[in-house]
Amino acid sequence: MLAKQLKALNLIAEDGNTYALYSGQNPADLLALDGAGVATVRRVTQRTPLQNGVTDRGFRLEPRKMTLALYINQPDELSADLMRDKLAYIFGPTISPLKLLATRLDNTQRQIDCYVDGTLDFPQSERLGASQKIIVPLYAPDPTWYDPTRVSSTTSLSSMPVTTANYSTTGLTADDWPVFYITGPVTNLVITHAPVGDAIDFTGVTIPNGETWVVDLRPGYKTVYRNSDNASRLYAVTTSSVRYFGTLRMLNQKLAASYSVAYNRFALTGSGTSGASSFVVKYYKRYLSL
């Protein structure tokens, strides 16, 4: 067990139960977690006819591959078999991701969503009595770690225009894609990411009193819907602002600094609001590595 590496490592399984993988041998103890640093960086390049070399267009992070080394050390072989059965249950094929939750030495927590991708074997050649080392191959489609406590901030729209609080970027090394919850009434709403200028525009549309519309900017979603029944409201976004669904995000510290700020903030304009009108932004603080 690497007692000086982490304070704790837990796994929130598909069944909703949390299993300690650090100490206690139920089902196993942590030996090592490899692949938890910065994920593979791939440069995006472009080449034109007759061009020497390439033009660099930025980067993308590849999905993360990790190996989780665990150790079974039970008082007898029968108990070891029970632990192997438990590990097979926990790390068997899943539809929903496993949530690997690490508590660092400074007591901060970082989590990553992952799946088993490969062979989880219990090789007899690695067994010594009731002891055995086991390697769990893990794959994280989103390679970034995040603070599991989601940031949620509400801004009243009773008086327009209005600007939200500053959401600090200090210490954040990766971007996140926010989700907005807009409660009406409000007409001609425009949400502008103040540091960059990206905007989601509902000009010409009224969000009725008592309705909440959700703007979900996460990859794989990129949509607008009515919260009460999931009815699509994507049609309400102006054509010229749809493109910002692919760029509007919570900037990390380094990227925010390139705009000479240390925060994310949203400016909102509109009309026809009341005391019931509000704007909620939810996002995770994200990190490149554990």
Side-chain angles (χ1 to χ4, degrees):
M1 182 175 66
L2 299 179
K4 294 185 178 180
Q5 303 299 317
L6 296 169
K7 278 197 171 182
L9 184 67
N10 294 293
L11 185 89
I12 304 168
E14 191 177 35
D15 61 9
N17 291 320
T18 299
Y19 299 92
L21 299 178
Y22 202 71
S23 62
Q25 290 292 321
N26 190 11
D29 281 353
L30 171 70
L31 285 177
L33 176 64
D34 293 335
V38 178
T40 300
V41 178
R42 177 177 60 85
R43 301 305 304 186
V44 179
T45 61
Q46 183 181 51
R47 171 176 281 169
T48 59
L50 303 182
Q51 178 180 357
N52 293 319
V54 297
T55 301
D56 189 89
R57 295 298 187 187
F59 70 92
R60 296 293 183 270
L61 295 179
E62 293 296 307
R64 182 186 296 274
K65 293 281 190 176
M66 296 184 292
T67 54
L68 176 64
L70 301 175
Y71 188 65
I72 291 176
N73 185 23
Q74 292 294 310
D76 55 68
E77 288 82 353
L78 185 60
S79 298
D81 274 343
L82 292 175
M83 291 302 101
R84 282 186 280 266
D85 284 345
K86 194 166 188 176
L87 288 168
Y89 169 76
I90 295 170
F91 291 108
T94 61
I95 301 301
S96 301
L98 304 170
K99 298 181 183 297
L100 196 63
L101 174 61
T103 302
R104 307 196 321 161
L105 297 181
D106 60 2
N107 289 317
T108 60
Q109 291 188 316
R110 294 186 184 179
Q111 184 167 290
I112 194 166
D113 298 346
C114 51
Y115 301 86
V116 174
D117 184 38
T119 301
L120 174 60
D121 193 15
F122 305 126
Q124 294 184 1
S125 61
E126 293 289 336
R127 298 182 189 182
L128 182 60
S131 301
Q132 181 175 18
K133 178 181 177 180
I134 296 166
I135 300 297
V136 184
L138 296 174
Y139 151 78
D142 184 335
T144 59
W145 294 81
Y146 62 94
D147 184 333
T149 302
R150 196 179 192 188
V151 177
S152 179
S153 178
T154 302
T155 301
S156 173
L157 302 184
S158 59
S159 178
M160 299 286 273
V162 67
T163 301
T164 68
N166 292 343
Y167 309 117
S168 174
T169 61
T170 301
L172 304 184
T173 52
D175 301 334
D176 190 41
W177 299 88
V179 180
F180 303 141
Y181 296 78
I182 309 147
T183 299
V186 58
T187 300
N188 298 328
L189 178 68
V190 180
I191 306 164
T192 303
H193 188 213
V196 181
D198 293 355
I200 306 298
D201 191 338
F202 291 95
T203 297
V205 173
T206 295
I207 300 176
N209 182 39
E211 283 193 11
T212 297
W213 290 12
V214 181
V215 180
D216 193 337
L217 299 177
R218 294 175 298 166
Y221 295 87
K222 304 294 185 186
T223 189
V224 181
Y225 62 90
R226 186 167 57 194
N227 198 41
S228 60
D229 59 2
N230 294 327
S232 176
R233 291 295 180 267
L234 190 58
Y235 67 84
V237 180
T238 61
T239 302
S240 60
S241 70
V242 168
R243 62 192 175 105
Y244 294 120
F245 276 62
T247 58
L248 197 160
R249 61 203 187 278
M250 307 300 286
L251 307 180
N252 66 66
Q253 181 177 349
K254 186 186 295 185
L255 192 52
S258 70
Y259 291 95
S260 301
V261 296
Y263 57 81
N264 289 277
R265 185 173 65 195
F266 298 95
L268 298 104
T269 61
S271 61
T273 60
S274 74
S277 308
S278 66
F279 171 79
V280 177
V281 57
K282 295 185 178 183
Y283 69 97
Y284 288 102
K285 296 179 178 179
R286 289 195 175 268
Y287 307 91
L288 290 176
S289 68
L290 176 56

